[in-house]
Amino acid sequence: MATAMAGSDLTVKRGNKKFIKEAKGVAALEFNFEGATFDDKMPLTDKYPDIALLQKLAWDGFVEEFNDRCKNLQVVPDIDKVDYKISMKVTKIDHFVNVMGFIPRLCVRAWGTVTITDAKTGEVVLEVYVDEIDGGANPLSGRSFQRLL
């Protein structure tokens, strides 16, 4: 998430983007695909009927990358003992073909909002609007969404 903050495809709506680099503790992560569309043409569930699998792939990929990059703030699976809650509301997903490298591959772009709240007070400490960010590999593979944020 820290590397994506420098991009023009993210807009801080509330809080300070330095929060990610300065925060210490552990966070819970939740993806919300409710009402999301695929390419603005169909419900996401028409393209990916197994939303539970999509959520697991997104969670696994994001956590691996986030925890590797952010040493002071780590995402953990135990939602009862966290300092922060990260909610990712995905509003749209579509595909594109990445032709960089030796082998073209199908990748994902995503739109939505990331909201980080203090788990004890419920105060929003950071809210970021995501406008067409490369989400990495096709979500049908095991490394999906690892670069969503």
Side-chain angles (χ1 to χ4, degrees):
M1 192 155 170
T3 59
M5 295 305 266
S8 61
D9 44 10
L10 301 173
T11 305
V12 175
K13 295 293 188 182
R14 276 196 275 184
N16 186 332
K17 67 181 179 181
K18 290 182 181 180
F19 171 81
I20 294 297
K21 291 182 180 180
E22 296 172 354
K24 293 183 177 161
V26 294
L29 170 66
E30 174 187 64
F31 279 87
N32 180 350
F33 294 101
E34 186 176 331
T37 63
F38 179 79
D39 199 24
D40 265 347
K41 296 178 183 162
M42 67 176 83
L44 188 60
T45 52
D46 288 359
K47 184 72 174 177
Y48 300 105
D50 192 349
I51 290 295
L53 175 62
L54 185 64
Q55 287 175 314
K56 181 182 179 342
L57 291 171
W59 196 94
D60 291 346
F62 179 89
V63 170
E64 181 181 343
E65 181 106 356
F66 184 92
N67 286 350
D68 187 49
R69 293 176 185 260
C70 299
K71 300 302 181 191
N72 293 329
L73 180 63
Q74 298 283 287
V75 175
V76 296
D78 186 358
I79 63 170
D80 295 326
K81 298 177 183 175
V82 296
D83 302 300
Y84 303 98
K85 295 183 179 180
I86 303 172
S87 174
M88 297 198 174
K89 173 65 175 139
V90 178
T91 57
K92 181 173 80 169
I93 290 177
D94 74 6
H95 290 161
F96 69 101
V97 177
N98 183 350
V99 295
M100 303 303 282
F102 293 111
I103 301 172
R105 63 186 177 105
L106 186 63
C107 294
V108 173
R109 285 186 290 226
W111 291 256
T113 303
V114 178
T115 305
I116 302 176
T117 57
D118 183 299
K120 292 171 185 64
T121 66
E123 174 190 359
V124 174
V125 293
L126 181 64
E127 184 176 38
V128 178
Y129 174 69
V130 179
D131 183 23
E132 190 180 329
I133 192 164
D134 175 3
N138 182 341
L140 300 178
S141 74
R143 294 272 305 152
S144 66
F145 289 81
Q146 73 266 23
R147 292 177 41 218
L148 182 57
L149 285 178

